[in-house]
Amino acid sequence: MTGDKKKGFGIHPEMLVGISAVVIGVCALGVSLYETSLMREEQRASVMPLVELSRSFYIDGDESGEGTFLLKLNLENVGIGPARISDFRVTVDGQAQSTWRAAINALLGEDVTASYVQSTINGRTVPTDRRVTMIELRDSDVARRVIDEFERLDFEACFCSVFDECWTTSYSTFGAAEAVAACKVSDESFTE
């Protein structure tokens, strides 16, 4: 038995070094994947749009209600990335309207000829810190009547970021945007 040695199953230093290298490699891969996901979230956040819908009106009159009225409905991107407006809807008493003229007529309950200026919203990309006046109603009598009935009117925008993440917001939600899977144009979409 002088030259016989028993071979055991002990851990050899080379095996320990190899196992350590595998464990360190797996940990490095996990950290790398985690950092990549954080970077993607940061990229998404750095170009996230936030659309607000608002109204503004000007009244130059006296206590009798006589005077000049001007009404503007606005869309503004207050986020930090461009907003692609993929769908826009206007409703009066919950019923979809396809044009501003149709919305005004439905709101006032009659066929009204009014002077107004409008900007197209559907399909438009709105840069950061940009306000778009969707409609400026210059007919003072009609503007006053629309202001009086305004609680029956609502408008909603569905918008997406450059990463195709989408949200919807409406005038009635005071700028609170809700995430949606996608913006889809339908028969109820606004055409102007």
Side-chain angles (χ1 to χ4, degrees):
M1 289 189 95
T2 57
D4 290 339
K5 291 186 178 178
K6 287 186 166 180
K7 296 205 174 189
F9 290 104
I11 296 179
H12 298 286
E14 301 85 24
M15 185 182 286
L16 187 57
V17 168
I19 292 172
S20 297
V22 169
V23 169
I24 290 172
V26 169
C27 289
L29 178 63
V31 168
S32 176
L33 291 174
Y34 179 69
E35 285 181 354
T36 301
S37 71
L38 288 178
M39 288 173 55
R40 285 186 183 153
E41 288 300 316
E42 185 177 316
Q43 286 175 335
R44 284 187 176 103
S46 70
V47 294
M48 189 172 122
L50 180 58
V51 170
E52 289 184 352
L53 301 171
S54 64
R55 74 174 181 173
S56 58
F57 54 90
Y58 168 78
I59 302 172
D60 181 20
D62 56 22
E63 294 169 4
S64 68
E66 298 297 320
T68 303
F69 291 77
L70 174 70
L71 174 65
K72 292 182 182 182
L73 303 182
N74 306 299
L75 179 144
E76 185 173 5
N77 181 4
V78 297
I80 53 178
R84 289 189 338 249
I85 311 302
S86 300
D87 189 34
F88 189 74
R89 298 173 192 217
V90 176
T91 59
V92 174
D93 296 326
Q95 298 296 314
Q97 307 297 319
S98 60
T99 65
W100 287 117
R101 185 166 306 282
I104 292 168
N105 289 341
L107 194 63
L108 301 181
E110 63 181 274
D111 190 16
V112 176
T113 302
S115 171
Y116 64 89
V117 176
Q118 72 169 38
S119 295
T120 301
I121 295 300
N122 264 340
R124 186 173 188 161
T125 298
V126 181
T128 301
D129 292 331
R130 180 72 52 93
R131 176 181 290 207
V132 176
T133 299
M134 299 179 294
I135 182 171
E136 182 177 324
L137 194 51
R138 294 180 174 177
D139 186 304
S140 186
D141 179 55
V142 174
R144 179 186 51 77
R145 292 171 59 200
V146 168
I147 291 168
D148 289 344
E149 298 291 328
F150 203 81
E151 71 277 353
R152 298 174 44 220
L153 177 71
D154 197 14
F155 37 103
E156 173 184 295
C158 191
F159 60 99
C160 301
S161 73
V162 296
F163 289 112
D164 289 325
E165 295 175 313
C166 301
W167 300 267
T168 185
T169 188
S170 70
Y171 176 77
S172 63
T173 61
F174 303 106
E178 180 181 325
V180 293
C183 296
K184 296 179 182 163
V185 177
S186 74
D187 294 340
E188 294 184 349
S189 296
F190 203 63
T191 60
E192 291 184 323

